Amino acid sequence: MNMKSSQKPHIAYAETKEQHRLNEARETGVPWKKWGPYLSERQWGTVREDYSQDGNAWDYFSHDQSRSRAYRWGEDGIAGISDNQQQLCFAIALWNGRDPVLKERLFGLTNSEGNHGEDVKEYYFYLDSTPTHSYMKYLYKYPRKRSKEDFEYELLDTGIFDADRYFDVFVEYAKADPEDILIRISVHNRGPETAELHLLPTLWFRNTWSWGDDVAKPTIRQVEKGSVLASHGKLGDRTLDCDGNPELLFTENESNANRLWEQSNPSPYVKDAFHNYVISGSRHAVNPNQTGTKAAAHYRLEVPAGGSTVVRLRLSETPAADAFSSFDETFAARLADANEFYDRITPPSLSEDERRVHRQALAGMLWSKQYYYFDLDKWLEEHDAHPMTGTAHRNIRNTEWFHMLNSDIISMPDKWEYPWYAAWDLAFHTIALSLVDFDFAKDQLLLMLRNLYSHPNGQIPAYEWNFSDVNPPVHAWATLFLFTIEKELGRSDLRFLEQSFQGLMQNFNWWVNRKDPSGKNVFAGGFLGLDNIGVFDRSAQLPTGGHLDQADGTAWMAFYCQNMLEIALILTEYDSIYEDIAFKFLEHFLWITYAMDRIGDHHDEMWDSQDGFFYDLLHFPNGDAMRLKVRSLVGLLPLCASTVFEANGVLARHPRLVELTELFKKRHPDLLKHIAPADESFKGYADRRLMSVCNKEKIERILVYLLDENEFFGPYGVRSLSKYHLEHPFVFNLNGQEFKVQYLPAESNTGMFGGNSNWRGPVWMPVNGLLIRSLLNLYQFYGDDFKVECPTGSGKYVTLYEVAKELARRLSSIFLRDASGNRPVYGGTKKFQEDPYWKDYILFYEYFHGDNGAGLGASHQTGWTGIIARVLDLFARGSAADWLQVSKGDLAARMTREQVAGVKAS
């Protein structure tokens, strides 16, 4: 393959110091990213740590046990960091003099306890981070007193923050160099009287030596006053210098078998020693020889009312003669670097509040990285459930994934509520991450396609609770997006594109072979990430028997075909063998689109011509079929399967593809009547070509629903289920049992899929993002002449660009202050809306109330909700004229140049 034709001159960056670090990391391997926020926020209650007989991970390893029990597969902590193999970890521990436990990790309710499933009961915020983690800032709000009962409610509802009797604990990190990390912990007493706080910055090794693997045990020991030396066979030596001569405590990161199981301890010094020492006053709990695998500096701080105290530490490979002589100057420099970097990448037209949301969204994305370790081969053997070794087979999850070995830094959906990767979430993560770190974003996509992740049959793993669940196939779209953007930086990464394409080809074939049971180009797939959106659990056997044709599954596959076609056409520029492959994806797309609405009226098509909407289709064992008339995102997703091609692109450069397409049209003339745009010209504005599941008539009819504020078009985005179903629930009766789908704008009232999410009303950011993409694509094709009523019934007709912009405005307004100075994301919570120490800290929730925009579900799922940063960026840089007059490639080039150069491009 001749790659030279793809190369362009590198765009001149606004060479910020942080960009220089990113370039060094990519081009010369300087390990600026070796240390980062790679510590989980919850390791207990995960599948990895579950060795139970019944697979109840939450009960097998509880929060109460976590302070005493060594983890097998990872570590957790508050505001923590580690190296990129999580060998050495650092985090803070706290005690307010009243709590029954030393605060070493965040607390929350388990899946069966929380009102939406697992639910963290703490307030903490990811305030800042650069992509190399040269500067990071985190805030934890620590109440001065709370009872066990307080955890049953949202903490602000309990009154424990009344009178401001709490500590704001800010944790900041600044890198003097890749192996020299300065740590500043600032404790603010927001209350009306002086208060004491025990602060224990803690350094420890992940326990790799207790599992029979013949691993040498590392050590941490005191070397002089205020300094400890951590020595590891692979990592080498690291020194932690602690300012102010604190008391140094040492123990082992090993289970307290006596407390857990009433067994004798091999060593008297165990994991929960600091808890016993600080709270119970047990001086024998810590090692007087000042050595172990876990160490802490014990600071007893008297913080004055309304005042603050600062603690300084430094973790380094080569300790300085005076660890704190230039400490404040280094912090000031790194913060200045962070400001410089974000000033460069942020559109200058954003308001101050928009810039705050943009930066904190990206900070949350960067803080949500985690080292994820899971060796399924070993894990299954330890469960006596490996399918290939002849051991006893029990009902253990993920037995078919024994090939898997995960040991990487991965972007998590939420490091407390979902501290494991989710495949389709990850694709959306990369769209936001690419604003700050292309290299990390690309690596994330490639991970899921590598042999040690994806199944030999081509399936991409879903998540650790069941790797065999099926997520929507969005990786090809994310791959194409990243390639297109990076190409405009002058470093077109064809190796990345081709490597991804090979893995995606295997996955595409898996979909075709496994999820089209009848071979009719109609796809199932189960829940497909939309959890409880359907009448039935779509991943389980149907109570009616028969099978389900899924409008969303089929639309996702049409979308997949479009993306694979575009990738194949790019690769055809460098190797003509891909042109025939491109046609295969075009052919797949045409048949899939035809299958969604065949000619005639058989009541077995997904498209309902009377309603003007797509529905799932239920096939009964006797051969009958019926549409399940639930108006949900399932019926909107076909809009997302739309892609525009420039006139001087496909037709001019790919004559073989044109030849094969003409032959197909002659052989199947009736099929094309159902392919957009419904006439034989297939030409739009500026002679552009459109591939879309929906022709113009279908688009108009679906948009009537989508833009109706009494249906989908909520004040804060497109709802996942039409509000029509509030007063008109869909009811299906079977053998005396009622199955009902009703609009629920907030939490779910069903336990389907664990009850920890709700797709029956709330607004979900990722699908809204795809709808914006679709509207902009359709606008590029249809232009200003195609207008729709927005909102439906308003009498106001606007272009599809204006619809997309209005949807983006509604989504953004979730986080931005409204005319009353309130942020809808925080609903009626007065503390968040008015208190100066709360109101500018943004949480990026998992989903949002369909009517008032309040945040719901996981509170730190910056993950895919972080794409709000990309939405803000998109409309700050591109006008209607830009989208219409400039080709898609040229527009991407201009936006990229603006971002990397930090100025408005011509």
Side-chain angles (χ1 to χ4, degrees), residues 602-616:
H602 309 292
H603 297 288
D604 63 350
E605 306 91 7
M606 297 175 191
W607 175 253
D608 188 307
S609 58
Q610 182 174 349
D611 290 3
F613 206 73
F614 285 99
Y615 299 111
D616 281 349

Side-chain angles (χ1 to χ4, degrees), residues 11-57:
I11 294 174
Y13 281 94
E15 185 65 11
T16 65
K17 293 181 175 64
E18 179 63 15
Q19 185 61 56
H20 182 70
R21 294 184 192 98
L22 284 168
N23 294 345
E24 283 187 324
R26 180 183 63 256
E27 295 168 6
T28 61
V30 178
W32 280 109
K33 301 177 194 176
K34 180 176 179 178
W35 294 87
Y38 309 143
L39 203 59
S40 177
E41 282 164 349
R42 177 176 62 81
Q43 183 67 17
W44 60 273
T46 61
V47 167
R48 281 155 288 154
E49 301 294 340
D50 178 24
Y51 286 76
S52 66
Q53 295 292 317
D54 60 359
N56 189 332

Side-chain angles (χ1 to χ4, degrees), residues 423-691:
W424 85 302
D425 298 54
L426 193 58
F428 288 100
H429 296 187
T430 65
I431 304 304
L433 285 166
S434 62
L435 282 167
V436 288
D437 191 347
F438 277 104
D439 302 305
F440 181 70
K442 285 159 51 183
D443 287 344
Q444 295 299 286
L445 287 178
L446 286 173
L447 273 182
M448 296 299 111
L449 301 173
R450 289 176 182 164
N451 291 337
L452 292 177
Y453 284 78
S454 67
H455 197 280
N457 64 20
Q459 184 178 9
I460 292 174
Y463 41 72
E464 66 177 33
W465 290 94
N466 185 0
F467 285 122
S468 292
D469 264 346
V470 183
N471 279 181
V474 289
H475 278 68
W477 162 68
T479 297
L480 182 62
F481 180 90
L482 294 188
F483 173 83
T484 302
I485 296 296
E486 192 180 29
K487 184 175 84 168
E488 305 309 330
L489 295 175
R491 53 175 203 256
S492 182
D493 194 346
L494 284 165
R495 191 173 300 279
F496 159 72
L497 191 65
E498 188 170 34
Q499 184 179 354
S500 298
F501 189 72
Q502 300 304 323
L504 291 166
M505 282 274 286
Q506 292 184 52
N507 179 249
F508 184 90
N509 290 335
W510 176 85
W511 270 91
V512 170
N513 293 326
R514 298 293 182 94
K515 295 302 174 181
D516 177 14
S518 63
K520 295 180 179 179
N521 296 291
V522 176
F523 291 82
F527 87 115
L528 285 176
L530 306 187
D531 293 17
N532 66 339
I533 202 167
V535 181
F536 314 113
D537 182 345
R538 301 192 302 171
S539 287
Q541 186 173 357
L542 297 175
T544 59
H547 69 275
L548 196 66
D549 291 344
Q550 295 180 217
D552 56 336
T554 308
W556 283 124
M557 282 304 289
F559 184 55
Y560 202 172
C561 290
Q562 293 172 340
N563 295 317
M564 293 296 279
L565 169 62
E566 285 197 78
I567 294 173
L569 290 175
I570 294 169
L571 293 172
T572 297
E573 300 286 334
Y574 313 104
D575 192 332
S576 60
I577 195 173
Y578 286 101
E579 193 156 7
D580 278 14
I581 297 174
F583 175 72
K584 291 302 295 183
F585 287 111
L586 175 60
E587 188 177 28
H588 270 297
F589 170 80
L590 295 173
W591 283 116
I592 289 170
T593 302
Y594 176 66
M596 294 188 76
D597 178 23
R598 294 187 303 282
I599 296 171
D601 184 13
H602 309 292
H603 297 288
D604 63 350
E605 306 91 7
M606 297 175 191
W607 175 253
D608 188 307
S609 58
Q610 182 174 349
D611 290 3
F613 206 73
F614 285 99
Y615 299 111
D616 281 349
L617 192 66
L618 177 62
H619 292 268
F620 295 97
N622 66 0
D624 292 342
M626 70 171 288
R627 298 186 187 103
L628 298 175
K629 293 196 173 185
V630 178
R631 293 209 282 271
S632 72
L633 280 176
V634 164
L636 300 181
L637 280 169
L639 281 177
C640 296
S642 58
T643 296
V644 173
F645 296 92
E646 298 296 330
N648 61 356
V650 177
L651 299 183
R653 299 201 302 271
H654 304 290
R656 173 64 177 161
L657 182 65
V658 173
E659 177 188 339
L660 291 170
T661 303
E662 290 300 319
L663 178 61
F664 186 88
K665 288 164 65 175
K666 290 178 182 178
R667 295 178 64 204
H668 307 287
D670 290 341
L671 181 148
L672 295 179
K673 294 179 181 179
H674 287 255
I675 309 302
D679 59 57
E680 294 186 2
S681 69
F682 279 77
K683 295 179 182 178
Y685 186 88
D687 273 355
R688 291 179 178 129
R689 270 54 172 181
L690 174 69
M691 282 180 66

Side-chain angles (χ1 to χ4, degrees), residues 11 68 171 335 452 521 555 604-605 618 834 888 899 906:
I11 294 174
S68 306
V171 182
L335 178 56
L452 292 177
N521 296 291
D604 63 350
E605 306 91 7
L618 177 62
E834 299 177 4
K888 191 162 58 174
Q899 186 193 1
S906 58

Side-chain angles (χ1 to χ4, degrees), residues 639 695-708 713 775 778-779 782-806:
L639 281 177
N695 59 27
K696 190 173 183 180
E697 178 193 355
K698 288 188 175 74
I699 293 168
E700 289 175 321
R701 299 190 69 185
I702 293 171
L703 286 178
V704 169
Y705 294 106
L706 189 151
L707 298 178
D708 189 334
F713 207 38
L775 290 164
L778 293 171
Y779 174 68
Y782 287 109
D784 288 329
D785 294 336
F786 183 18
K787 295 187 176 182
V788 294
E789 192 178 25
C790 179
T792 299
S794 66
K796 180 182 179 182
Y797 286 81
V798 300
T799 67
L800 296 182
Y801 172 84
E802 291 169 307
V803 173
K805 188 173 183 179
E806 173 60 15

